[in-house]
Amino acid sequence: MEHSLYGSRGLTILSGSGDRVTDATGREYVDFLAGHGAALFGHAHPRLRLALEEAAAFPWTIGAGLASPFRERFLADLESLLPESRAFLCNSGTEAVEAALKLLRVVHPGRRRILALRRAFHGRTLGALGLTFNPRYRAPWKDLLLSVEHLEPEDLPDAVDEQVAAVFVEPAQGEGGMATLSAEVGKAVTEACRRWGALLVADEIQTGWGRCGALLASFRTGLDPDLVCLAKGLAGGLPAGALLWRRRLGSFPPGGHGSTYGGNPLVCAVGHAAFGLLQEGLPERAETLGKIFRDALGAISSPRITGVLGLGLLVGVSLDEPSAPLVTALQERGVLALSSGPKAVRFLPPLSASEESVRRAVAALADALETV
């Protein structure tokens, strides 16, 4: 069987509910891939479906220059995440990163240094790809990319100076081996950015919106960002992204940025319903269930495991070998997961995941480690 970062080829999903999906043969799987984390509330969540159905009776798109109560409610939700902030709505995480790159040029037109982390992943559009570390993604387009300095987390604070426009940081690196920023380093990065006036940009595309035990993982890892990029689970898996930034930074010039589909009423209605779900204790549940998950993974006795990592329901198992064969083996055992870098297995359970599904995923991994 051919291995990939996302399991074996040829799996067709026809239906799903909660943390389970069913393929074309009728086989059920525990879905801890969850659309690369975008199905944050599980599949076919009744509250999100109702919000979508109700909004579908109104215009599906109205253009950025016109107001919509659906959009205004969702913007208010987002702007509550970061004090004194405003939001730009788009369709994906990489678009949110692109918006951040443009805004930093508005704020610091004369500064040219941009810092990011080694093993970072910020997207595959050209601006975001410059921030992304993996040479495999970058190589075909290297002549078109931004000049970005990629550093280890502990080296970031000392690298910031008066020429640095921005520092881009993921609180936990979903594609980079599941490394989590320590609160000590996060605080030092924040202080360095404040000292030199550099913008601190938190990429919370995978870590935000409740997955890591808080509405934003930044505040759990010592970061106090000026800008925050969000996407994936914002609207339960519908295409949605957002850039938040402090109002004191100003904004794009007239006509300087926009999106035809960003902030359309359908997505905003579902996003507002998702925010309502988050107010009912789901981030706290993610923290509790994530600890149960990591503790159970840590109890697996295998010399092939070198660590159990993550925050909340962003859960990883680092290995001393390539992870792709184990991702395939998990799929064969009825559990969907994915790799994080070359040597870590990543689990992205929805916030509605059950303890039974967690136990099943742990048992499948333990069996795969014994037999693969």
Side-chain angles (χ1 to χ4, degrees), residues 278-299:
L278 292 175
Q279 308 311 301
E280 299 174 8
L282 285 181
E284 294 80 6
R285 184 177 188 276
E287 177 66 11
T288 300
L289 187 59
K291 186 178 186 306
I292 292 171
F293 198 177
R294 287 190 297 276
D295 286 348
L297 290 168

Side-chain angles (χ1 to χ4, degrees), residues 124-183:
R124 292 186 178 92
T125 51
L126 283 177
L129 187 57
L131 294 163
T132 293
F133 176 76
N134 193 325
R136 180 169 64 91
Y137 298 143
R138 296 167 55 90
W141 329 107
K142 60 183 179 181
D143 294 339
L144 300 172
L145 303 183
L146 287 170
S147 176
V148 176
E149 301 167 50
H150 291 95
L151 304 170
E152 294 293 342
E154 60 272 17
D155 296 329
L156 273 181
D158 289 340
V160 181
D161 62 19
E162 71 277 3
Q163 294 302 314
V164 172
V167 178
F168 284 75
V169 179
E170 298 165 280
Q173 294 185 308
E175 291 278 345
M178 296 299 295
T180 300
L181 195 70
S182 73

Side-chain angles (χ1 to χ4, degrees), residues 26-359:
R27 185 182 183 187
E28 184 183 77
Y29 298 80
V30 170
D31 185 10
F32 283 3
L33 186 154
H36 297 256
L40 182 61
F41 301 91
H43 299 287
H45 192 288
R47 293 258 293 274
L48 302 189
R49 288 182 61 181
L50 179 61
L52 181 61
E53 291 166 1
E54 290 178 344
F58 297 87
W60 291 6
T61 185
I62 59 172
L66 302 175
S68 160
F70 297 106
R71 184 185 296 149
E72 297 308 312
R73 285 196 295 265
F74 190 39
L75 284 171
D77 296 334
L78 290 168
E79 290 168 2
S80 72
L81 301 180
L82 193 68
E84 297 297 320
S85 67
R86 61 185 304 175
F88 170 78
L89 296 171
C90 51
N91 309 286
S92 66
T94 196
E95 289 179 52
V97 172
E98 295 286 344
L101 286 168
K102 291 177 75 172
L103 190 61
L104 73 88
R105 285 290 184 245
V106 173
V107 177
H108 287 313
R111 299 191 183 195
R112 287 295 178 263
R113 292 184 68 204
I114 299 174
L115 309 183
L117 289 174
R118 291 179 63 84
R119 296 171 295 279
F121 182 88
H122 296 285
R124 292 186 178 92
T125 51
L126 283 177
L129 187 57
L131 294 163
T132 293
F133 176 76
N134 193 325
R136 180 169 64 91
Y137 298 143
R138 296 167 55 90
W141 329 107
K142 60 183 179 181
D143 294 339
L144 300 172
L145 303 183
L146 287 170
S147 176
V148 176
E149 301 167 50
H150 291 95
L151 304 170
E152 294 293 342
E154 60 272 17
D155 296 329
L156 273 181
D158 289 340
V160 181
D161 62 19
E162 71 277 3
Q163 294 302 314
V164 172
V167 178
F168 284 75
V169 179
E170 298 165 280
Q173 294 185 308
E175 291 278 345
M178 296 299 295
T180 300
L181 195 70
S182 73
E184 180 182 4
V185 170
K187 183 179 179 181
V189 171
T190 298
E191 291 173 349
C193 287
R194 295 289 184 270
R195 182 182 313 119
W196 295 104
L199 299 181
L200 178 54
V201 186
D203 181 335
E204 296 246 20
I205 291 164
Q206 190 164 122
T207 60
W209 213 233
R211 173 170 293 285
C212 289
L215 291 176
L216 294 179
S218 289
F219 302 130
R220 300 195 63 196
T221 55
L223 299 173
D224 186 14
D226 301 297
L227 297 87
V228 177
C229 301
L230 292 163
K232 292 199 182 294
L234 279 184
L238 293 180
L243 174 67
L244 306 180
W245 71 95
R246 310 275 187 175
R247 288 182 177 272
R248 60 176 169 76
L249 299 176
S251 190
F252 303 102
H257 201 53
S259 173
T260 297
Y261 296 108
N264 76 81
L266 288 175
V267 169
C268 288
V270 179
H272 178 63
F275 187 74
L277 291 173
L278 292 175
Q279 308 311 301
E280 299 174 8
L282 285 181
E284 294 80 6
R285 184 177 188 276
E287 177 66 11
T288 300
L289 187 59
K291 186 178 186 306
I292 292 171
F293 198 177
R294 287 190 297 276
D295 286 348
L297 290 168
I300 296 175
S301 178
S302 172
R304 299 165 70 181
I305 293 178
T306 59
V308 177
L309 308 169
L311 284 174
L313 283 175
L314 180 65
V315 177
V317 178
S318 58
L319 306 164
D320 64 357
E321 62 189 68
S323 55
L326 279 175
V327 171
T328 300
L330 284 169
Q331 180 177 308
E332 292 168 349
R333 288 157 177 78
V335 176
L336 303 184
L338 66 164
S339 289
S340 174
K343 292 185 177 182
V345 176
R346 180 175 19 157
F347 298 98
L348 296 170
L351 301 185
S352 59
S354 67
E355 288 192 39
E356 177 191 355
S357 293
V358 165
R359 288 192 296 271

Side-chain angles (χ1 to χ4, degrees), residues 1-9 33 324 327-329 331 337-338:
M1 178 179 292
E2 183 177 4
H3 301 300
S4 78
L5 295 179
Y6 314 119
S8 63
R9 306 291 177 93
L33 186 154
V327 171
T328 300
Q331 180 177 308
L338 66 164

